[in-house]
Amino acid sequence: MSAHAPSYGLLIGGEWKTPAGSATFSTRSPIDREPVGHFVAGRPEDVTSAVDAASAAFPGWRSTPAPARGTILLRAAEILRRRKEEVAQLVTREMGKVIAEGRGDVQESIDFIEYMAGEGRRLAGETIPSELHSKFCLTVRQPKGVVACITPWNFPTSIPNWKIAAALICGNTVVFKPASNTARCAAEIVRVYEEAGVPPGVLNFVTGSGGVVGNALIDDPRVRTISFTGGVATGREVYVRGAQGLKMVHLELGGKNPVIVMDDANLDLALDGVVFGAFGTAGQRCTATSRLILHAGIYERFLARLVERVGKLRIGDPVDPKIDVGPVASADQEQKILDYIEIGRREGATVALGGKKLTGGAYDLGYFIQPTIFEARHGMRITQEEIFGPVLSVIKVGDYAEAVRVANDVEFGLSSAIYTRDVNRAFQAIDDLEAGITYINAPTIGAEVQLPFGGVKNTGNGGREAGSVAIDEFTEIKSVFIDFSNRLQKAQIDTI
Ligand code: UN1
């Protein structure tokens, strides 16, 4: 089935433009390689125009009361709720996640926009005592100015919204550059904000490559904050480049998320969690379970059940609600995952299930890989590097201490989980696991928007998205001292 593939321009200063002479590119469905949308390949001068527009719109948006900004966001959430099914279908078509997860992607967007709309009536500062008499101290939050939001393809609506809604409620103006292979989902999100009444220039949209559009955004001295989600190699480049301009660079990067299953766990529950965590979204989440750290006492039993369960997953057209696992998102993704499967084999890991590209019939049209389970040893590359696909490495451990050592001995630290019925051990794991997120008796995926999201070590550079702390990324804090003593008071001098 080939659906209509519309063309989109760039949104600059409230107008959709297709600059004369610009090159174009298309997104294609990973299901069947049919075109989904056609887009402008933005050039550096387009980025300059977008930043011009965002700069011009900033004073007006900054001075719009935050609750009024929140009203516009609420309207955006309502529009998206109305369009939920249509946008979810688009997510599934353009990116390939199964339709239940396509709906989840859009729902996560709605949830977060609503949450941030409420933030318009908080945006709280602090009151803090002064060391002097008749002096009042407080902090206020102020917007940063023009911010750049650079987003990945795996959550093509919700990650953009995590950034855009938080940036807008704080009074910033935005230039948004989405991943090129999910540009239509991104364009539809921009239309939602447009329809909701975001004023011209407040949200600008420039499609194109990271090397051209992304770099031009990072280099523009008027862009003070860059919010980036993507791979660790690109994240490092973004950080270094942004550092030249002394910019605040917010990075959400990779994961190598472990699930520990102890011998006292509810194994039925753990099985459900591992299957969903590892093979949901075909493993293409930063939070995906990519390592199963399995206690020796249950190793054979659990692995046998896991292989049986995963072997029954239905792989195919993600639009069909009976399908469990869709295609991976692109030819590049497919190649990278197949390369890692080969690396695992060469390293001597045992393929317990899968390990191949699916071929024949409709599989030949897209990028389908068998859910793959390796019996691996800690230290192999497949247990250390982010694969971002339906590949799970199972590692045997003798006890809790070894499980934690293995869990922590990777460069990343985004999500983590432990299945156990021992309440003391569960609390101990919260202390011990080096990760921004820890789940007890639940899979590594499925974070909720009202909690901070982010990780430690090479997963980022210390920031968090979502939750109420999302506003830290997009506000400057001003300290205010109000002296009502009517005389000169000297801090640090009059006080001793
Ligand atoms: C991501 O993969 O970058 O926690 C985001 C989850 C989702 C978000 C994942 N709510 O799995």
Side-chain angles (χ1 to χ4, degrees):
M1 178 201 73
S2 169
H4 172 59
S7 296
Y8 296 81
L10 310 176
L11 181 66
I12 297 176
E15 277 174 47
W16 289 90
K17 298 179 180 166
T18 303
S22 45
T24 59
F25 68 95
S26 303
T27 62
R28 288 179 177 274
S29 174
I31 306 168
D32 54 17
R33 296 191 181 92
E34 290 291 331
V36 177
H38 307 290
F39 304 88
V40 173
R43 300 158 303 176
E45 53 266 42
D46 302 320
V47 172
T48 302
S49 305
V51 180
D52 289 347
S55 303
F58 179 58
W61 186 241
R62 179 189 200 278
S63 60
T64 303
R69 298 195 294 255
T71 303
I72 296 177
L73 289 196
L74 271 186
R75 222 177 288 140
E78 277 163 30
I79 294 165
L80 196 51
R81 183 175 286 112
R82 198 180 70 225
R83 294 185 56 192
K84 179 175 170 181
E85 185 56 27
E86 167 218 340
V87 178
Q89 293 285 344
L90 190 55
V91 168
T92 291
R93 178 133 196 88
E94 194 171 45
M95 180 272 167
K97 62 177 75 179
V98 294
I99 186 63
E101 293 181 0
R103 293 183 187 119
D105 197 313
V106 181
Q107 188 59 48
E108 191 161 353
S109 296
I110 297 166
D111 294 344
F112 188 68
I113 299 169
E114 279 180 349
Y115 184 71
M116 277 296 118
E119 201 56 50
R121 292 192 180 269
R122 286 185 294 269
L123 282 181
E126 292 180 291
T127 58
I128 300 163
S130 170
E131 63 190 45
L132 296 162
H133 294 282
S134 303
K135 197 172 175 191
F136 189 76
C137 309
L138 67 138
T139 63
V140 290
R141 289 182 182 273
Q142 298 187 323
K144 295 195 158 192
V146 180
V147 305
C149 299
I150 305 178
T151 60
W153 47 262
N154 69 328
F155 276 81
T157 77
S158 47
I159 294 180
N161 279 305
W162 286 4
K163 298 185 191 303
I164 292 167
L168 292 183
I169 198 64
C170 295
N172 303 285
T173 55
V174 174
V175 181
F176 170 31
K177 185 220 128 21
S180 291
N181 54 327
T182 49
R184 183 163 165 201
C185 290
E188 291 304 329
I189 290 301
V190 169
R191 283 189 165 166
V192 165
Y193 283 99
E194 213 187 356
E195 189 185 333
V198 169
V202 169
L203 174 59
N204 305 277
F205 178 64
V206 184
T207 43
S209 72
V212 176
V213 174
N215 285 349
L217 266 172
I218 298 163
D219 290 346
D220 193 306
R222 296 167 295 174
V223 175
R224 296 304 312 157
T225 286
I226 295 128
S227 185
F228 173 85
T229 299
V232 71
T234 315
R236 189 173 278 119
E237 283 172 30
V238 169
Y239 201 18
V240 168
R241 213 175 170 104
Q244 298 300 326
L246 302 177
K247 299 182 184 207
M248 152 78 180
V249 179
H250 180 109
L251 301 170
E252 291 292 342
L253 308 175
K256 194 69 195 170
N257 313 294
V259 169
I260 297 172
V261 180
M262 295 301 295
D263 54 351
D264 67 347
N266 174 340
L267 297 188
D268 294 333
L269 183 67
L271 197 59
D272 287 346
V274 171
V275 173
F276 182 51
F279 301 106
T281 327
Q284 299 169 112
R285 295 198 195 203
C286 307
T287 50
T289 304
S290 59
R291 295 180 297 151
L292 167 59
I293 300 174
L294 203 46
H295 192 284
I298 50 158
Y299 185 89
E300 270 79 29
R301 205 158 28 116
F302 192 85
L303 182 62
R305 289 184 66 191
L306 180 66
V307 166
E308 195 204 335
R309 265 285 287 284
V310 177
K312 287 190 185 136
L313 293 177
R314 288 153 302 192
I315 303 135
D317 182 350
V319 178
D320 177 348
K322 291 193 292 299
I323 290 296
D324 301 303
V325 183
V328 298
S330 64
D332 288 352
Q333 266 297 106
E334 181 182 75
Q335 195 50 52
K336 181 179 160 211
I337 296 162
L338 292 173
D339 287 350
Y340 266 111
I341 292 174
E342 193 46 40
I343 288 168
R345 280 206 178 91
R346 279 208 305 269
E347 289 180 302
T350 308
V351 180
L353 185 77
K356 291 199 183 73
K357 176 176 166 53
L358 283 157
T359 53
Y363 287 139
D364 287 339
L365 302 176
Y367 312 113
F368 294 88
I369 296 181
Q370 291 175 329
T372 298
I373 300 174
F374 274 114
E375 286 187 85
R377 275 187 318 282
H378 175 61
M380 291 175 166
R381 281 182 65 191
I382 55 167
T383 69
Q384 300 287 300
E385 297 172 22
E386 186 176 51
I387 299 174
F388 224 65
V391 180
L392 176 68
S393 292
V394 187
I395 303 164
K396 190 194 284 189
V397 292
D399 57 19
Y400 171 78
E402 189 188 353
V404 167
R405 213 163 44 243
V406 166
N408 289 343
D409 186 25
V410 289
E411 69 170 300
F412 301 109
L414 180 53
S415 189
S416 57
I418 184 167
Y419 283 83
T420 177
R421 284 177 162 128
D422 179 338
V423 68
N424 292 351
R425 179 148 283 158
F427 274 84
Q428 189 61 47
I430 297 170
D431 243 15
D432 291 341
L433 290 171
E434 294 172 0
I437 304 170
T438 293
Y439 290 91
I440 306 296
N441 293 327
T444 55
I445 65 175
E448 301 176 31
V449 299
Q450 67 279 19
L451 275 85
F453 183 93
V456 302
K457 301 195 278 191
N458 285 356
T459 289
N461 55 352
R464 292 290 181 272
E465 291 192 290
S468 57
V469 297
I471 60 173
D472 291 343
E473 185 183 350
F474 294 109
T475 50
E476 297 286 2
I477 292 182
K478 174 178 282 192
S479 296
V480 182
F481 300 90
I482 304 158
D483 191 323
F484 53 98
S485 69
N486 223 13
R487 63 195 162 87
L488 173 64
Q489 301 196 86
K490 297 177 186 150
Q492 296 91 39
I493 294 172
D494 292 352
T495 48
I496 45 171

